[in-house]
């Protein structure tokens, strides 16, 4: 299981912010060529990012990705041409509204992999829906490419497109969040939430992250390294959850050894959803390198 | 100024060449942090006073007071630095002395700030000041010392505790101590918690008033006799001078100190708290000190959170105090605060009415040749540095260009005293590596530094086998990397290239005196090479 709890945006035209970006151990880094870079710096940023990808070691715990400009802009195509390289793990495509938006990027990446002699199909894609149209088409978009490992939502742009207001309760975009999550799960890929913009408001971030985790999201984007720890804390299973999951798997194991079809933990039946949840929690705990206790129980 | 060719050199215990003697004065090479015993048998004694039936010591003008104490050519004068960059006392006094035509003085301040630089430099150039007994030098003043052009003897750079030792031992014989006092009465009972220039404490002046032959208090707030509390009592003070203003309150205290926003610095601070915890030092009753720099404030914040989370209580904290420490005192996460300097208004206000927040003579804080000091009771101290080297030696006096730029403060005192000394530094600054093979100048010996925390890795001093052993069994979070100091150096130089040695000249401009009076390193003059502004530029001549 690939952990993508936190995804840190790094402005692609800031040479001071790029080199240390890996130090904070977000699960994903997105070197950004799109919204954090003004039109006059697009070319500089592209050159900086493509060089940074080649020479900077972002460390072992991070998946290095680039957010390109949409192909509908004058920059998107050149972004792909230059950033595709050995060290790039994935591309985030912004403002996706249709299946074609993803397919076009997929084809261009394939061409680049071939031209640059890279392993075929290794670079993953992630689509961001930021308009009503994109959200409505999400179920198809989520199945658009084999490279696609996750879809995500762009909170600010979407709110503007809907004519709503950004608020602490997320009223304007919560329906879209649910649709994205449904589309992702139906396609068997990950769902990643938008940023929480006020990086000094730790409690607000914790509240929103807790909410989207409860909804079922796999992770959340962040705009400041300070946000990473909070997001990880929320997404990491608690020790009680881990202990319970261990006991569930123990019970399943015991039943299997006995050849019994009925699995019981204490007085409770362990049914399929409980077993699945336990599995998911343990997979998360393992991926996050959390300690998993061994629990002996009298059978 | 001593020429490097004229002195006899000897290697001290950390492998630095230092002179055996300079200008006829015997020097003792550094021989380990706790090995040098006092050279003199007794403390230096100040003059007796004679007050007869006098009922007031208030003198109308500063000039009259200076005349009365008999300040003459070649004498030594001292100042405290509690008014920080808002100080008006030193400039006022130097201006008066200049007018009176007294020359060849030795200036022995506890520290200096930018607001005093112009005046000090003028006085050095016109011969009013001939010599500096540190304390520290920074800014333009530091660059002037580094130029080697104006002073006839090398300056001695001393830690806070080291300066107290030097005054008590008579290495610095203060003839007249000028003490800026936020409140005073007519016989010279002084304190720093009341008045328009309140700065919380004037504890840096305690040793000066005890050992100077004469003490002149300068105040802008004369109060009814007797002035309570008597932080400095009347028996030490010769005269009181009342002036309009001794300080600029907006610059005495920083209005609101802010925790850094820099992600790398925050990471350093957080990792420092985590490593202290992993090593078992974040525990009930822990005593700690961290400064008021961005990393230190963030360290305080993270430590505060961790202490709350663990449900423990720290014993006491000391050093420069700020709102961040006062917050801990108020919510009971630390029991007591000891202030060396009060850095913001919250700390100053809190000292007025909180019995668990006190100041302490600097001798009681850090003097190794006293009879007890708080640094020895510290569990954890968090310090900065301009450089750290492969032997864990730390430089806090010069930049990598060799120029004297930073005050050394209580760095070497707390490092020697604390059970766990952590130096927090970015791996590199601009084009300069910070973890280097060999420090440009050594202030704090590596034997007293236990851990170096950078944003890219943490190194434990191999002398501390116990810490390395503890870490073997600890679960280090994956965003923290434990490595050797050599690895840190390699990572730094991979980014910046290796350190460029300063373009040293052949004059000795400063001696770095360790807290026990031995010489740990020397600083030479720097000759401009790549950049003209690398050393002091004589503005008057331009």
């Amino acid at each position: 299981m690939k952990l993508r709890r936190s995804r840190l945006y790094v402005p692609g035209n800031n040479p001071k912010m790029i080199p240390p970006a890996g130090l904070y151990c977000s699960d994903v880094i997105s070197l950004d060529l799109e919204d954090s870079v003004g039109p006059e710096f697009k070319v500089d940023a592209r050159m900086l990012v493509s060089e940074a990808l080649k020479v900077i070691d972002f460390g072992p715990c991070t998946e290095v990705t680039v957010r390109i400009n949409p192909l509908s802009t004058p920059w998107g195509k050149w972004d792909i041409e230059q950033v595709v390289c050995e060290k790039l793990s994935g591309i985030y495509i912004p403002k996706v509204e249709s299946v074609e938006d993803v397919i076009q990027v997929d084809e261009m990446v394939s061409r680049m992999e071939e031209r640059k002699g890279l392993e075929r199909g290794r670079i993953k894609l992630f689509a961001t829906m930021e308009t009503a149209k994109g959200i409505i088409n999400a179920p198809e978009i989520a199945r658009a490419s084999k490279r696609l490992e996750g879809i995500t939502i762009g909170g600010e742009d979407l709110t503007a497109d809907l004519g709503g207001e950004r608020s602490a309760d997320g009223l304007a975009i919560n329906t879209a969040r649910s649709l994205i999550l449904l589309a992702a799960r139906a396609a068997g890929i990950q769902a990643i939430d938008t940023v929480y913009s006020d990086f000094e408001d730790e409690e607000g971030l914790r509240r929103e992250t807790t909410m989207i985790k409860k909804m079922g999201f796999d992770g959340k984007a962040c705009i400041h390294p300070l946000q990473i720890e909070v997001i990880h804390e929320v997404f990491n299973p608690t020790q009680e959850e881990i202990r319970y999951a261990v006991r569930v798997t123990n019970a399943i194991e015991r039943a299997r050894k006995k050849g019994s079809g009925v699995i019981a933990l204490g007085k409770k039946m362990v049914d399929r959803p409980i077993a699945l949840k336990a599995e998911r929690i343990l997979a998360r705990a393992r991926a996050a390198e959390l300690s998993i206790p061994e629990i002996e129980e009298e059978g | 100024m001593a020429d490097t060719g004229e002195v006899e050199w000897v290697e001290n215990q950390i492998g630095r060449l230092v002179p055996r003697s300079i200008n006829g004065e015997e020097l003792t090479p550094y021989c380990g942090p706790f090995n040098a015993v006092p050279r003199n048998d007794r403390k230096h004694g100040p003059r007796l006073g004679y007050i007869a039936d006098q009922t007031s010591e208030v003198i109308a003008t500063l000039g009259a007071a200076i005349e009365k104490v008999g300040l003459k050519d070649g004498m030594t004068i001292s100042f405290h630095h509690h008014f920080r960059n808002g100080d008006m006392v030193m400039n006022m006094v130097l201006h008066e002395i200049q007018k009176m035509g007294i020359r060849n003085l030795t200036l022995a301040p506890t520290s200096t700030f930018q607001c005093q630089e112009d005046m000090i430099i003028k006085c050095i150039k016109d011969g009013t000041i001939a010599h500096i007994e540190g304390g520290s030098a920074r800014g333009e003043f530091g660059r002037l010392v580094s130029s080697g052009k104006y002073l006839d003897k090398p300056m001695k750079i001393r830690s806070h505790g080291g300066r107290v030792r030097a005054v008590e031992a008579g290495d610095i014989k203060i003839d007249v101590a000028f003490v800026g006092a936020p409140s005073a009465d007519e016989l010279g009972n002084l304190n720093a918690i009341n008045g328009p220039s309140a700065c919380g404490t004037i504890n840096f002046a305690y040793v000066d008033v005890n050992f100077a032959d004469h003490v002149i208090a300068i105040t802008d707030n004369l109060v009814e006799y007797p002035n309570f509390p008597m932080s400095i009592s009347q028996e030490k003070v010769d005269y009181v001078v009342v002036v309009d203003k001794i300080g600029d309150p907006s610059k005495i205290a920083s209005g609101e100190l802010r925790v850094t926003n820099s992600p790398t610095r925050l990471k350093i601070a957080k990792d420092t708290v985590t490593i202290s915890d992993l090593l078992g030092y974040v525990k009930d009753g822990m005593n700690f000190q961290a400064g008021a720099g961005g990393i230190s404030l963030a360290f305080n914040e993270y430590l505060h959170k961790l202490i709350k989370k663990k449900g423990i209580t720290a014993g006491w904290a000391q050093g420069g105090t700020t709102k961040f420490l006062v917050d801990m005192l108020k919510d009971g996460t630390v029991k007591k605060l000891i202030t060396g300097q009060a850095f913001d208004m919250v700390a100053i206000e809190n000292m007025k009415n909180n019995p668990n927040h006190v100041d302490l003579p600097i001798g009681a804080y850090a003097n190794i040749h006293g009879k007890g000091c708080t640094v020895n009771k510290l569990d954890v101290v968090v310090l900065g540095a301009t450089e750290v080297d492969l032997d864990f030696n730390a430089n806090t006096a010069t930049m990598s260009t060799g120029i004297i730029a930073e005050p050394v403060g209580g760095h070497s005192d707390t490092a020697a005293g604390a059970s766990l000394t952590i130096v927090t530094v970015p791996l590199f600054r601009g084009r300069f590596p910070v973890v280097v093979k060999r420090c440009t100048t050594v202030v704090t010996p590596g034997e007293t530094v236990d851990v170096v925390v950078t944003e890219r890795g943490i190194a434990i001093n191999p002398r501390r086998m116990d810490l390395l052993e503890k870490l073997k069994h600890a679960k280090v979070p994956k965003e923290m990397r434990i490595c050797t100091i050599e690895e840190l150096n390699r990572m730094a130089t991979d980014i910046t290239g290796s350190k460029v040695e300063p373009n040293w000249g052949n004059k000795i401009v400063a001696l770095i005196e360790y807290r026990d009076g031995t010489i740990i390193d020397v600083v030479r003059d720097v000759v401009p090479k790549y950049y003209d502004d690398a050393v002091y530029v004589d503005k008057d001549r331009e």
Side-chain angles (χ1 to χ4, degrees), chain A residues 23-25 202 225 229 289, chain B residues 263-264 267 270 455 475 479:
Chain A
L23 299 176
Y24 316 109
C25 285
E202 193 182 314
E229 190 185 10
E289 293 174 26
Chain B
T264 47
K267 176 174 165 56
K270 198 167 109 200
E455 73 278 25
K475 191 172 181 324
E479 68 267 20

Side-chain angles (χ1 to χ4, degrees), chain A residues 5 202 206 209-210 213 227-238 241 290, chain B residues 270 309:
Chain A
R5 295 164 299 180
E202 193 182 314
R206 193 179 297 274
T209 311
T210 307
K213 183 212 170 194
Q227 299 183 314
I228 296 166
E229 190 185 10
V230 176
I231 293 174
H232 286 191
E233 271 173 22
V234 173
F235 272 102
N236 284 347
T238 63
E241 285 175 321
L290 304 177
Chain B
K270 198 167 109 200
K309 195 169 143 196

Side-chain angles (χ1 to χ4, degrees), chain A residues 247-287:
Chain A
R247 292 178 61 204
V248 168
T249 43
N250 285 352
I252 295 169
E253 186 64 12
R254 272 197 308 275
R256 200 178 55 82
K257 272 186 189 153
K258 278 194 217 155
S260 155
V262 184
I263 308 165
L265 180 58
K267 284 175 187 163
K268 265 184 96 177
M269 286 278 290
V270 175
D271 51 11
R272 201 176 127 73
I274 292 182
L276 278 180
K277 190 181 168 199
E279 245 172 61
R280 194 177 298 149
I281 282 171
L282 288 180
R284 273 204 178 144
R286 258 179 241 117

Side-chain angles (χ1 to χ4, degrees), chain A residues 35-56:
Chain A
D35 278 354
S36 53
V37 180
E40 67 272 43
F41 300 115
K42 291 289 186 194
V43 178
D44 312 32
R46 185 194 300 141
M47 289 172 73
L48 191 62
V49 165
S50 62
E51 283 307 306
L53 283 170
K54 285 176 204 147
V55 299
I56 292 171

Side-chain angles (χ1 to χ4, degrees), chain B residues 468-498:
Chain B
L468 289 164
E469 191 57 35
K470 257 188 209 161
L471 270 191
K472 268 188 203 159
H473 309 292
K475 191 172 181 324
V476 181
K478 68 175 178 178
E479 68 267 20
M480 273 169 59
R481 177 167 169 201
I482 309 292
C483 56
T484 63
I485 193 89
E486 286 79 10
E487 284 175 274
L488 288 182
N489 170 248
R490 215 172 306 130
M491 280 189 260
T493 48
D494 275 353
I495 295 167
T496 61
S498 33

Side-chain angles (χ1 to χ4, degrees), chain A residues 78-89:
Chain A
W78 300 105
D79 288 347
I80 297 173
E81 287 227 345
Q82 287 197 25
V83 300
V84 166
C85 70
E86 190 72 50
K87 300 258 189 75
L88 182 75
S89 302

